[in-house]
Amino acid sequence: LMRYGVLYLGPAIGECLSVCIMFLTYFQDPSLAAVVFCCLGLYSFVTVYLTLWRKKFRSAMNKQDNKWHDRITDSLTNFETVKYFTNESYEKARFQEAVSGYQKYSVDVQAS
């Protein structure tokens, strides 16, 4: 949060204020400065809102990605046990379920 505020938010607010002050002093038109300030404020709000909305999809996709990586690692690490108990079909079904879930969330991220 500190990095985001110092590196992105602070300079953006400073630039917005300096542009509004320039419009106010150079063009001597307070309504133009107010319009610029309101538009930049609306743009900032919409950007933050959409970013937080997309974050839900990205988080779900990352969880599903970890899930299918865990499943494949588990089944490859314990392949002797899987073979011994003839559980190949079970492991295959678990892996297919995890991969299909990842693909679903991946499409959701791309569509958002």
Side-chain angles (χ1 to χ4, degrees):
L1 184 63
M2 184 65 174
R3 183 184 71 178
Y4 182 77
V6 171
L7 295 178
Y8 300 112
L9 196 58
I13 291 172
E15 183 181 6
C16 175
L17 289 175
S18 65
V19 166
C20 289
I21 290 170
M22 277 190 350
F23 276 131
L24 189 61
T25 58
Y26 186 73
F27 295 114
Q28 298 174 353
D29 190 4
S31 62
L32 184 60
V35 167
V36 168
F37 185 76
C38 289
C39 288
L40 288 174
L42 180 65
Y43 172 76
S44 300
F45 175 76
V46 169
T47 301
V48 169
Y49 180 77
L50 289 178
T51 301
L52 293 175
W53 175 70
R54 288 195 73 228
K55 185 178 176 183
K56 293 185 288 188
F57 296 111
R58 177 73 64 179
S59 173
M61 185 191 74
N62 287 340
K63 285 180 185 175
Q64 201 67 26
D65 182 43
N66 289 339
K67 185 177 178 181
W68 83 265
H69 274 100
D70 291 345
R71 295 272 168 89
I72 193 68
T73 302
D74 183 45
S75 61
L76 287 175
T77 303
N78 300 318
F79 73 94
E80 293 159 335
T81 306
V82 171
K83 286 281 192 185
Y84 182 74
F85 289 106
T86 60
N87 256 352
E88 293 92 352
S89 60
Y90 174 73
E91 289 296 327
K92 181 180 173 186
R94 280 181 59 198
F95 181 69
Q96 285 178 338
E97 174 191 333
V99 169
S100 65
Y102 172 74
Q103 289 173 341
K104 175 191 173 296
Y105 287 116
S106 178
V107 168
D108 289 345
V109 167
Q110 293 297 320
S112 67

